[in-house]
Amino acid sequence: MSPRIEAVNLGKQLGGRWALRRLDVHVNEGEVLGIIGANGAGKSTLLKTLSGLLHPDEGSYRVRGSLASLLEVGTGFHPDLSGRENAFLRGALLGLSRREVEVLLPRIAEFAGVADRLDEPVKYYSSGMQLRLGFSVAAHLPADTLIVDEVLAVGDAAFQAKSLTFLETSWRAAGRSVVYVAHQLNQVRRLCDRVLWLDHGTLRLEGHADEVCDAYLASMLEAPEEWPDAAARPGLGGVRATALHVDGTWSTGSPAQLRVEWTGAAADTGLDLRISLERPDASALTLWSSLNSGWMPNGASCATLTLPELALSSGTYLMHLRVFVDGLLHDEVRNAARVVVQPGAWQGFDYPTPRPMALQTQRWS
Amino acid sequence: MNKVREVAAHDPWWKTNSASLRQGRSLALAFARRDLRLRYTQTRLAWLWAVVQPVGLIAALTVVLGRVFGLPPDGLRQFGLNLAVALPGWIWFQFTVSQGAQSLISNQSLVSKAAFSRTALANAKALVGLVDFAVGTAVVLLGLLTVGAVEAFALLRVPLVAAYTALAALGWAYLIAAVSVRRRDVLAVLPMLLQILFFISPVALPSANFEPKGWGLLYWLNPAVAMADGFRWAWLGWNVWQPAHAISFASGGLSFAAGILAMRWRSRRLNEFLG
């Protein structure tokens, strides 16, 4: 099976700078390829080049079958024309005759939720309705490959969910391909089979969606930021954390240690150091609490947490540190530390997970 | 379904990889429909304006210029016929060139976001102008039937000259549109140029008896000379032809070829200039 899109050594110079360089891209049939990267990484340049809007300065590409390219679908409607007329025009831009669009129109309008207002000028639509109509026209066209840029970043949550489901069921299931650029990584994770991470016009990483998204997020936090000034942090401030050290290398299934230091008078009872462990996208995985373990400070200003068997899969994790005294928050540091867990066996077995996960002691019967 | 689009950095500029002919055609129709719809959405008299414009111009020019030249009634009739048969064609030519020349710049947001045949925008303007031309032609036909001056084969000949008009006008539109992307100045001077062209083209008066030499050659290079005289031949059966008309026809045909090439050449880096 030959790929729908195949680009070799693609390069494009814009304004004397290489916006895209030495890029190899392929999109298979029925595959949803995600493209992520910071602003200016070359995502739009890549989409524009593959769509035929820009001519490459290096390399070549090949597109098999029809390609519908919708950059900024929600914009570009003519305000004085009706929704129907705009849909015809949009269809014509993508190579469809009036009659072909006519057949699709009931489904398009129904999906966008504008069925009863199709003959009104688009200027009387809400901006959300315009965006929905734009996406709906694009998504219903009979193309082999759809190129979409930031489409789902807009519109209400219900429509976003509906659109994602639609792309998953109607597009992927029908063997059509999608090239999808988005900043919303949770959508990329859900929709995309494979993800390219572009950085300064070149490929930084390519692979499974979760793996690439996590690496991308982790890179944005790569330089461990200085903790914010104690005075600027939330909490009463009677006790302030001063450091959170990760000791040695952590790997799955092996013992692991970390150390917390603090200043300030704490009653022997009631001090609770809480560390919640998060993925790079800030979703929490598990919580460690000193109070719940029954530990007492006894006048000390540092404590060590030992995990006899690290129950985390390989990947990058962030620590969110909070200090409570008698149930009141005294200090809080987000991203207080970052740890990269190396692969290892968990209770004798490998758990190759595409993204960071908490593992459990388990018993099946 | 099985079509493959292959693009390489070193492809020569004249190799086109854009949309098929079928797409270009349906797109031009869609753009033309949009323009026509927009044009008549907030007007009261709508289609009547297409009649009023040529009739008003013919009447005004005949009366004013007839006075200026002090023409006798017979001469006035001749003059009026001369003008009436050439004017709808000229209006179409002028409209297509001026609107088509702006088509890339004024549809910038569309051009920079969707890949489609770039000539479709100017073609749509020619189609919009064709509607006015058809109305003008109907008016001329009625007028000529009333005065009994219409040539027997007119309805076969007029489409031929009309096709030439479209070809020449589109050639100019493509050329100027392609240049205007980098040099917008041309759009600023275009209305004036077309105005001058109107007065030096034989629209109101029959073609002059210039030798195609020196400045005279410049006169014959104007494709509108062949067009205006062509309509006289088509409608009235006048034998207006001189050998030099071949230059004018060739100029119209060559501008079309040059326009197509200019659009291809410009398409390659169009979005880098438009942003």
Side-chain angles (χ1 to χ4, degrees):
Chain A
M1 192 169 63
S2 50
R4 280 270 159 76
I5 297 180
E6 194 172 16
V8 180
N9 191 33
L10 209 59
K12 179 69 198 168
Q13 230 175 351
L14 290 178
R17 197 181 61 84
W18 286 97
L20 216 58
R21 199 83 203 264
R22 287 188 280 276
L23 196 62
D24 294 339
V25 182
H26 64 101
V27 183
N28 296 320
E29 249 174 64
E31 183 180 45
V32 183
L33 178 72
I35 297 172
I36 60 172
N39 289 329
K43 306 187 296 285
S44 295
T45 308
L46 176 61
L47 292 199
K48 284 187 169 183
T49 306
L50 295 178
S51 312
L53 289 166
L54 293 173
H55 188 83
D57 290 321
E58 263 185 5
S60 63
Y61 67 90
R62 176 203 301 254
V63 177
R64 215 174 285 278
S66 60
L67 179 125
S69 163
L70 286 139
L71 310 175
E72 301 169 46
V73 273
T75 61
F77 278 142
H78 202 294
D80 287 317
L81 290 178
S82 66
R84 183 186 304 275
E85 286 299 322
N86 271 306
F88 285 141
L89 201 59
R90 194 52 75 79
L93 274 174
L94 296 163
L96 260 66
S97 73
R98 207 175 162 82
R99 194 166 309 121
E100 287 169 303
V101 178
E102 197 119 40
V103 174
L104 298 168
L105 205 53
R107 267 182 286 158
I108 292 173
E110 146 96 68
F111 186 83
V114 297
D116 51 335
R117 300 182 61 180
L118 210 50
D119 291 304
E120 267 178 54
V122 158
K123 64 182 169 191
Y124 300 129
Y125 286 21
S126 68
S127 53
M129 284 170 78
Q130 291 192 28
L131 293 167
R132 293 203 301 269
L133 184 60
F135 175 79
S136 184
V137 172
H140 283 85
L141 294 177
D144 296 322
T145 308
L146 181 69
I147 287 191
V148 280
D149 189 2
E150 296 287 350
V151 186
L152 300 175
V154 278
D156 54 83
F159 187 74
Q160 281 184 18
K162 188 170 151 186
S163 304
L164 280 172
T165 310
F166 182 82
L167 285 180
E168 277 175 337
T169 54
S170 296
W171 275 80
R172 197 154 41 183
R176 294 154 135 194
S177 313
V178 182
V179 181
Y180 180 59
V181 164
H183 283 303
Q184 298 199 4
L185 293 186
N186 51 353
Q187 289 182 357
V188 173
R189 288 182 203 274
R190 179 168 156 195
L191 197 60
C192 299
D193 304 302
R194 198 158 50 85
V195 173
L196 303 186
W197 168 15
L198 296 187
D199 190 20
H200 294 97
T202 57
L203 183 69
R204 175 96 173 250
L205 189 67
E206 172 180 359
H208 188 281
D210 285 324
E211 180 193 334
V212 178
C213 288
D214 282 339
Y216 171 63
L217 282 166
S219 83
M220 294 199 294
L221 307 161
E222 219 149 54
E225 282 170 41
E226 292 277 302
W227 285 10
D229 228 27
R233 299 203 296 254
L236 299 172
V239 178
R240 287 284 184 197
T242 53
L244 174 60
H245 292 296
V246 174
D247 292 345
T249 337
W250 285 21
S251 43
T252 307
S254 306
Q257 275 195 341
L258 64 77
R259 200 152 40 86
V260 186
E261 292 168 17
W262 65 90
T263 57
D268 267 357
T269 56
L271 179 72
D272 188 11
L273 305 166
R274 278 192 213 168
I275 298 168
S276 74
L277 197 73
E278 296 174 348
R279 291 190 178 112
D281 65 2
S283 55
L285 271 181
T286 188
L287 178 71
W288 300 314
S289 159
S290 66
L291 190 68
N292 290 357
S293 75
W295 167 84
M296 297 279 194
N298 292 327
S301 62
C302 99
T304 300
L305 165 67
T306 303
L307 303 159
E309 213 178 359
L310 187 64
L312 296 172
S313 70
S314 61
T316 302
Y317 298 83
L318 303 173
M319 291 175 197
H320 177 188
L321 173 67
R322 280 171 300 170
V323 181
F324 288 88
V325 179
D326 294 329
L328 296 173
L329 182 71
H330 274 236
D331 198 6
E332 176 168 15
V333 186
R334 288 190 178 273
N335 301 339
R338 183 172 159 274
V339 61
V340 180
V341 174
Q342 304 299 322
W346 164 248
Q347 297 183 341
F349 295 95
D350 282 334
Y351 284 85
T353 56
R355 56 182 313 207
M357 277 185 192
L359 304 170
Q360 304 282 298
T361 302
Q362 46 193 301
R363 188 170 297 116
W364 292 68
S365 54
Chain B
M1 212 61 179
N2 299 316
K3 72 176 180 202
V4 176
R5 184 165 60 94
E6 279 182 84
V7 179
H10 51 70
D11 284 342
W13 62 264
W14 58 84
K15 186 190 161 199
T16 176
N17 56 53
S18 61
S20 65
L21 206 64
R22 175 181 159 278
Q23 178 185 352
R25 205 167 50 220
S26 65
L27 195 52
L29 282 169
F31 283 135
R33 197 177 273 117
R34 171 191 75 172
D35 284 2
L36 286 169
R37 204 168 272 270
L38 288 175
R39 180 198 232 175
Y40 296 117
T41 39
Q42 290 184 359
T43 58
R44 280 280 171 82
L45 299 179
W47 294 92
L48 203 56
W49 291 118
V51 181
V52 170
Q53 198 199 6
V55 170
L57 251 176
I58 292 167
L61 282 172
T62 308
V63 171
V64 171
L65 290 178
R67 273 284 160 80
V68 170
F69 296 129
L71 292 174
D74 203 34
L76 199 63
R77 175 176 180 273
Q78 192 79 342
F79 181 81
L81 285 177
N82 228 320
L83 180 67
V85 296
L87 199 63
W90 168 260
I91 292 176
W92 186 22
F93 181 87
Q94 190 197 32
F95 179 85
T96 304
V97 173
S98 65
Q99 300 287 305
Q102 297 175 39
S103 60
L104 291 181
I105 298 283
S106 55
N107 288 287
Q108 204 164 329
S109 60
L110 209 57
V111 169
S112 61
K113 278 177 209 123
F116 58 90
S117 159
R118 303 315 190 190
T119 48
L121 289 164
N123 295 349
K125 295 298 180 184
L127 284 174
V128 172
L130 179 62
V131 171
D132 291 337
F133 176 76
V135 174
T137 299
V139 172
V140 168
L141 183 64
L142 279 175
L144 293 184
L145 286 173
T146 329
V147 298
V150 70
E151 157 74 11
F153 296 109
L155 289 182
L156 291 176
R157 289 172 172 184
V158 167
L160 280 181
V161 185
Y164 166 76
T165 306
L167 214 68
L170 281 174
W172 280 39
Y174 296 160
L175 271 171
I176 301 170
V179 173
S180 71
V181 172
R182 285 316 293 282
R183 304 266 172 266
R184 300 200 181 185
D185 325 44
V186 295
L187 295 181
V189 297
L190 188 60
M192 190 185 68
L193 286 181
L194 285 169
Q195 204 64 51
I196 293 171
L197 199 68
F198 173 73
F199 288 112
I200 62 171
S201 300
V203 178
L205 300 163
S207 63
N209 237 329
F210 291 124
E211 282 284 313
K213 275 190 234 152
W215 289 105
L217 182 65
L218 213 58
Y219 175 84
W220 288 106
L221 280 173
N222 176 3
V225 174
M227 176 199 79
D229 284 341
F231 280 117
R232 279 176 198 121
W233 162 76
W235 280 115
L236 307 166
W238 294 355
N239 185 11
V240 289
W241 303 120
Q242 304 176 37
H245 275 100
I247 301 174
S248 185
F249 275 118
S251 158
L254 282 177
S255 7
F256 184 73
I260 294 273
L261 288 179
M263 283 297 255
R264 287 217 180 152
W265 168 72
R266 179 50 83 221
S267 291
R268 172 66 61 97
R269 296 184 66 198
L270 182 61
N271 283 311
E272 290 171 48
F273 300 135
L274 289 180

